[in-house]
Amino acid sequence: MPWFRILLVLLACTPASALAATLTWPDLFGGGVCAGTLQACVNAASAGDTVLIGADESFLPDRYTAIDENIVIGKSLTLTAATGIDAVFAPGRNVQFNPATPGPHQVSVSDLIFRRGSVDFLDTGTIAGSVFRAERLRVLEPAAPNVVGCAINFQAGSPAAQIIAGDNVISTGPVAGVERSGICALGFGPGTVLDIDIFRNRVT
C-alpha cells in the first residue's frame, strides 16, 4: 500500500481527542488570539483543547500571573495554570461554564486562585455523559451573593453527569449576615442522576 494511503488510514482512525491542542495565554511572542484577553483565547480554542495560563512577563518572569476578567466557557475545555505559575484572578472575578451545545461536555478547571470569586458549572446540556472537574483551586472569601452562595458550584440538568471536586482549598471568611458554602452540587433536570466524587478538600 502506498505511504500516502497508509497516512490517510491512520488519520481516519485517529480519535478526535488525540487532535486536541494546547493554547498558552498570554502569548508573549506569537501575536495570535492568545496575545489579547484570556476570554479571547478561550473563545478561540476548539472543543477538547487546553488553555494553559503561563507567565505574563517575557524578560523578568515571575510565578505570578494576574487575570482581571470574568471567563465564560461554552464548550468542552480544560482551563489550568502552567506548572509553577500562580494564576490569580482579581477580586470579584469568576469562571463560569455555560454550554452553547447540548453536550456531552468534558470541562476541567484547575490550579487557579480566586479572591471573592467563584467557579460555576451551569450545565444546561441534554445529553448524558458530561464530566465536570474542579481540582486544586484556591477560593478565598467566595463571592456573595453568588448563584447559590458557593465557592465551587455544580448545577447539572443533563442526565448522568459526573462531578469531580478534589484537593481544593476554600476559605469562606467571616462576613456578618452572609452565609457562604464551600462546594455545592444540584441536579435540576427531570431524571438527572449525579455521580459525585468529592475528596481531599479543605473548607474553613
Side-chain angles (χ1 to χ4, degrees):
M1 181 182 293
W3 67 267
F4 59 86
R5 289 188 181 178
I6 296 175
L7 178 60
L8 288 175
V9 170
L10 289 174
L11 288 175
C13 295
T14 301
S17 58
L19 302 177
T22 297
L23 288 72
T24 300
W25 179 90
D27 181 355
L28 302 177
F29 305 103
V33 291
C34 291
T37 65
L38 176 56
Q39 183 66 65
C41 189
V42 167
N43 292 347
S46 299
D49 284 355
T50 294
V51 173
L52 189 68
I53 300 173
D56 58 358
E57 295 285 344
S58 56
F59 297 107
L60 296 172
D62 57 19
R63 62 178 295 164
Y64 186 96
T65 297
I67 305 106
D68 191 7
E69 53 182 307
N70 296 318
I71 303 301
V72 178
I73 300 171
K75 69 196 92 175
S76 294
L77 192 78
T78 294
L79 177 63
T80 189
T83 301
I85 294 295
D86 286 336
V88 182
F89 281 75
R93 297 300 193 178
N94 62 75
V95 172
Q96 181 184 97
F97 168 70
N98 197 347
T101 62
H105 304 98
Q106 315 289 321
V107 183
S108 175
V109 180
S110 63
D111 300 294
L112 308 178
I113 301 171
F114 299 85
R115 184 174 178 85
R116 297 196 300 277
S118 63
V119 176
D120 300 292
F121 296 84
L122 305 178
D123 172 31
T124 57
T126 57
I127 301 177
S130 291
V131 180
F132 305 108
R133 309 179 72 102
E135 297 176 291
R136 299 177 303 280
L137 301 174
R138 291 179 59 197
V139 187
L140 310 177
E141 301 177 26
N146 192 16
V147 179
V148 288
C150 305
I152 301 173
N153 175 36
F154 299 93
Q155 294 191 51
S158 61
Q162 183 178 7
I163 289 171
I164 300 167
D167 298 305
N168 301 293
V169 177
I170 300 168
S171 177
T172 59
V175 177
V178 174
E179 180 180 351
R180 294 186 174 110
S181 300
I183 301 171
C184 303
L186 169 68
F188 62 83
T192 295
V193 177
L194 302 181
D195 177 3
I196 303 175
D197 190 7
I198 297 179
F199 56 92
R200 292 195 306 269
N201 300 284
R202 187 173 69 193
V203 182
T204 59

